[in-house]
Amino acid sequence: MIVPAHEKKPLHQPPPNVHRPPPEPLRVPAAKRVPTLIAVYGASVVVLLGLCYALIIIAGNSPADVADALYRGSVADLPAVSRTLQEAAPLLIVALGTAVAFRAGLVNIGQEGQVILGAVLGAIVGLEVGGPPKLVLALTLLASCVGGALWAGIAALMRYWAGISEVVVTLLLTFIAFQLVSLMVTESWLLRESTGSQLNLAPQSDPLPQGVALPFLGQPTGLMIGVGFLMAVGLAAIVALALARSRWGFRLRLLGLNPIAARCFGVRAGAVGGAALVLSGAFAGLAGGVVLTTSALRLQPYVSHNYGWEGLLVALLARQRPTIAVVFALVFGGLRASSTFVAATGLAPSLVNVIEASIIFAALVPAAYLALRKRNATGKAIAS
Amino acid sequence: MNSVETIIESAVRLSVPLLLAGCGEYVAERAGTFNISLEGMMLAGAYTAVLGSSITGSPALGLLFGLAGGLLVAAAQANASHRLAANAFVIGVTLNLLVLGLTSFLDESFVLDPGRVGTFSIPLLSGIPIIGNAVFGGRWTLLAVYVVIPATWILVHRTRWGLEVRSVGEDPDAADASGVHVNVRRRQAIYWAGCLAGLGGAALSLGEVGGFNDNITAGQGFVVLAAVIFGGWTLRGTLTGCVLFGLADSLRLALPAIGYSITPQLLIAMPYLVALTAMVIFVRRQRRPGALGVQFVHGRR
């Protein structure tokens, strides 16, 4: 039905002229935020300490002894600090790779497997390739990068070719990697140690040739900083800068935050995302190579020593920020470094696991609780 | 042939914990949650079952204690990830670590004397050659499997609750718009998974082994995860996967005794390799829950 123009109602009614006060700012001012932060984290730390205290007492050990062992093992003197740095290096490298993948929106939880593959390929090159020790060392580290990259590359392939979630694939590949390394060091036609007698054959490979080991700077009595740690810190700076300032980093973050917008802007998910996943595998593999050439010096079934899992935790706790990851890597490195000292106090190793898990919860739960409160407060502010 | 019968019988026996946990994890994954802490739930169930059986003196009550143990771990996982929105993977990995340490510590500290679940045997049917003894006889926990499987199917596919759970896993935003409480259903699905995983762990410690050992589950929780994936997120597929992986375990133990030698690492890795291969082959036919592993925050859109 045709309506004459003067009888048409306008589509938008102008709002009635009601005087409304401006809405409350949604951001809580800092003066109010800090006491809440302190209260929540403080409560969490108190609960953590109380729980640990109770557990240690129930176990029959002395909390003072354990605390002393933790201190002496990680930061008390320069050799302890050296050990802490040495343990922190692989954790940091794994965490950096994890951060790269997560920022691209990819959930890589197979770091443990990638570390193992890095160590395996590194061991193959280190044991089979001849030449000057420094060259072999460089090739070993390169091969370990390639090993980890290949393992993550399988996940990237399955994700971008077949659409299979990388969460699942990386997790399953980890368990396959455990069996792979066990196979490598058990079969004599593979990397099994070749000794004269057939008795007492432990499942491990030959030791790496003399000189194929990452050097340390400093004196054994003083501070010894390993090249592995220097590499880790250097990589942390590079990754932090690249993620924040480079075009590649921008594309990566864009892909992670809004894949659809990324596609509109010409960021190919397969290329950038796949590269990010492969790169994170390469980092984890490099960590495996560092472990192989620093402390392990031969291939064993447990060469990865949980560096993969703890590196993942470091990255997740640091919310995928490389700079904060350094701090968490040092904390976890200190815990690992003091583990022999703590074991010497007689504390059951299983309890150390419990304490470590509790520390992670103590770091995680307050953040989640605060985020929940903020969301609810924002919701209320919008609704009112 | 006697060895075939033995292999089948031990395959069924070894599959019982996997089948129970598989029914639970199937529901949880249909709800869109990827429970890495399943291993922790099974281990906790295994220990609390042994604890309960020692305290009460009855293995049957011990099974209930196991159920409660799994539920406890599930409560931690569910509330941290789907109420507090902490990262589910961190919580899962950390819970596994915590449960491993705690159960090992408690196992060292206290001496327990659990019973063992009794055996049954259906008179006529267990006479069937080859499979009779395996399927119609065994420990009472096998009967639990026969009850749990139809119960799970009815729960997921014939009740309103199950419909809501499936919708939450497929498209939580649409479910939220329809008035379904997304995170509530996800938590409930995880509780179900925890109960059954605890029961599975209890079946392992009280039914199979007769006691608790350090890390008694040794990765069976992850095998169950692989089974759900292998089964393409259907109940039928999950159960097939669990039985297949139980068979692989049974072969790993039995073949060396018969005389064949297959590299044990291959058989241990078999569940994971098979799951990966199945995912690649059946990628077109598979219906992965649309929102698997993505945490839902109310009002995020």
Side-chain angles (χ1 to χ4, degrees), chain B residues 3-4 6-7 251 253-261:
Chain B
S3 52
V4 171
T6 322
I7 290 177
L251 283 175
L253 297 167
L255 281 179
I258 300 179
Y260 299 104
S261 67

Side-chain angles (χ1 to χ4, degrees), chain A residues 55 58-59 102 107 109 154 158 161-169 171-173 175-176 178-180 182-183 186-187 306 309 312-313 316-317 320 348-351 353-358 360-361 364-365 367-369 371-372 375, chain B residues 34 36 76 80 83-87 89-91 93-95 97-98 100-106 108-110 183 214 219 222 225-226 229 233 263-266 268-269 271-273 275-277 279-280 283-284 288 292 296-298:
Chain A
L55 275 174
I58 293 175
F102 271 75
V107 181
I109 51 175
I154 299 177
M158 288 177 81
W161 199 37
I164 300 171
S165 161
E166 73 281 2
V167 181
V168 162
V169 175
L171 186 64
L172 295 180
L173 283 176
F175 298 111
I176 298 176
F178 279 126
Q179 300 311 314
L180 184 70
S182 169
L183 188 71
T186 327
E187 294 295 322
N306 277 337
W309 292 122
L312 170 67
L313 282 174
L316 289 172
L317 284 172
Q320 290 92 41
S350 47
L351 263 194
N353 280 349
V354 175
I355 293 176
E356 197 178 314
S358 313
I360 298 171
F361 275 123
L364 211 59
V365 171
Y369 172 68
L372 186 76
R375 222 169 50 227
Chain B
F34 192 64
I36 301 192
R83 195 191 292 268
L84 284 180
N87 189 309
F89 299 115
V90 189
I91 299 288
V93 171
T94 313
L95 271 177
L97 191 67
L98 181 71
L100 180 63
L102 207 55
T103 52
S104 299
F105 169 63
L106 291 172
E108 286 163 3
S109 312
F110 306 111
N183 283 328
D214 210 16
F222 295 111
L225 285 175
I229 296 159
W233 290 278
T263 33
Q265 287 91 359
L266 196 63
I268 299 176
Y272 311 109
L273 286 167
L276 277 176
T277 324
M279 281 203 295
V280 173
V283 66
R284 304 254 176 273
R288 193 185 78 147
L292 185 65
F296 179 77
V297 171
H298 188 92

Side-chain angles (χ1 to χ4, degrees), chain B residues 24-35 169 225 228-229 233 289 292:
Chain B
E25 179 65 11
Y26 165 69
V27 177
E29 295 217 2
R30 285 304 288 261
T33 63
F34 192 64
N35 276 335
L225 285 175
V228 175
I229 296 159
W233 290 278
L292 185 65

Side-chain angles (χ1 to χ4, degrees), chain B residues 13 59 71 153 171 187 250 264 280 289 297:
Chain B
R13 245 188 327 118
L71 186 59
W153 185 83
D171 191 344
R187 286 200 294 271
S250 146
V280 173
V297 171

Side-chain angles (χ1 to χ4, degrees), chain A residues 34-52 358-359 361-367 369-370 373:
Chain A
V34 170
T36 321
L37 269 176
I38 295 180
V40 174
Y41 275 100
S44 160
V45 167
V46 165
V47 168
L48 169 73
L49 288 175
L51 192 73
C52 292
S358 313
I359 294 177
F361 275 123
L364 211 59
V365 171
Y369 172 68
L370 286 169
R373 265 176 51 130

